[in-house]
Amino acid sequence: MMYFVFGGLPEGIACSRERHRTTGLPDGVRAWKKTRREHADWFEPWEGGYFGKQLAASGLQDAVRAAPEAIVIQGSVPDPSDLLYLRDCIGVVTALVESGGVAVCDPQILHWWTPADWRDTIFLPDAARPLRHAVILTSDEQEASDRTWYHTRGMRKFGRPDLSVREVPASFGPAVIDLCERFIEMQAFGAIVPDGQAVRMSSLPAGLVCRLAGDLDDPDFN
């Protein structure tokens, strides 16, 4: 679990069970403050490079660069039987936004949220919507310019592996997106995909098989 809330944030922010639908951060997740005055180096990666491009596109660049501090929410939880741990984290982030946060960064899906978009898209729908917490990315295949690599980020929030589908022809792109969305939701709600599981979709060629691969040190998925 990892979120950053940028802004001018007072001490002792209160989270309300009724207002924010949270009992506080779950076991294994903690929050701490980074100030621009004391931790300037920490802010640089999030305001430059790829994250900086996303920040500029979000319209939040000036607000984030003027923010004197950020709250880091980070940690790992066991594999529980429900998604209340994620709901609790969302509630805490919402309380921070209401207390002076000007932007939320979700580094696991490479996305910046305005306070309004966070509230409307993530907090207000009081239901589990895994597709809002993962992202499907596309990259050109180096060995085949007419093929595309489809891959996800964000499944670590659910304790499940991200997805990778290589060498996809353009004609199968929509079907592969459908496949990824199905697997995102299936895994988020508790499914474990066994190694060797066949993929059966009428919109995709026969013979596709799921394989477990990769590790946490792979920069494409971490």
Side-chain angles (χ1 to χ4, degrees):
M1 198 64 58
M2 184 183 294
Y3 294 104
F4 308 142
V5 182
F6 292 76
L9 300 158
E11 299 290 344
I13 295 171
C15 295
S16 166
R17 181 191 292 265
E18 180 177 342
R19 178 176 175 82
H20 302 116
R21 301 195 297 263
T22 181
T23 58
L25 293 176
D27 291 341
V29 179
R30 66 188 187 97
W32 65 94
K33 181 180 291 187
K34 294 285 189 179
T35 66
R36 196 175 292 275
R37 183 178 60 185
E38 297 178 351
H39 311 99
D41 291 348
W42 181 89
F43 288 81
E44 292 179 2
W46 312 113
E47 298 172 359
Y50 183 86
F51 279 95
K53 292 179 181 178
Q54 298 298 100
L55 178 60
S58 73
L60 289 166
Q61 190 172 38
D62 291 343
V64 168
R65 289 186 171 175
E69 56 199 22
I71 299 294
V72 179
I73 295 175
Q74 185 175 357
S76 299
V77 298
D79 189 12
S81 60
D82 55 46
L83 298 176
L84 291 179
Y85 65 93
L86 180 57
R87 190 173 189 252
D88 280 335
C89 289
I90 290 170
V92 171
V93 172
T94 302
L96 290 168
V97 167
E98 292 181 354
S99 301
V102 298
V104 178
C105 178
D106 183 342
Q108 294 198 40
I109 61 171
L110 314 174
H111 191 78
W112 291 88
W113 298 96
T114 67
D117 286 344
W118 172 268
R119 184 170 181 80
D120 292 345
T121 305
I122 300 298
F123 177 71
L124 285 182
D126 189 15
R129 296 187 175 182
L131 294 177
R132 303 289 177 90
H133 299 279
V135 64
I136 302 171
L137 304 172
T138 59
S139 303
D140 294 334
E141 292 282 15
Q142 294 182 354
E143 303 298 327
S145 59
D146 61 337
R147 303 294 176 96
T148 301
W149 175 31
Y150 288 78
H151 47 115
T152 70
R153 286 181 61 99
M155 294 308 297
R156 290 185 67 185
K157 296 175 188 174
F158 305 103
R160 295 296 184 268
D162 273 297
L163 310 170
S164 173
V165 188
R166 306 301 303 246
E167 299 186 9
V168 178
S171 59
F172 288 114
V176 169
I177 291 175
D178 183 25
L179 170 71
C180 289
E181 289 180 343
R182 293 187 189 190
F183 270 65
I184 288 169
E185 292 204 323
M186 181 176 66
Q187 289 193 107
F189 288 123
I192 296 177
V193 180
D195 188 59
Q197 172 70 51
V199 175
R200 298 182 178 89
M201 288 181 57
S202 60
S203 55
L204 289 172
L208 297 179
V209 176
C210 300
R211 294 296 182 192
L212 300 177
D215 55 55
L216 293 179
D217 294 327
D218 183 346
D220 285 326
F221 296 98
N222 192 11

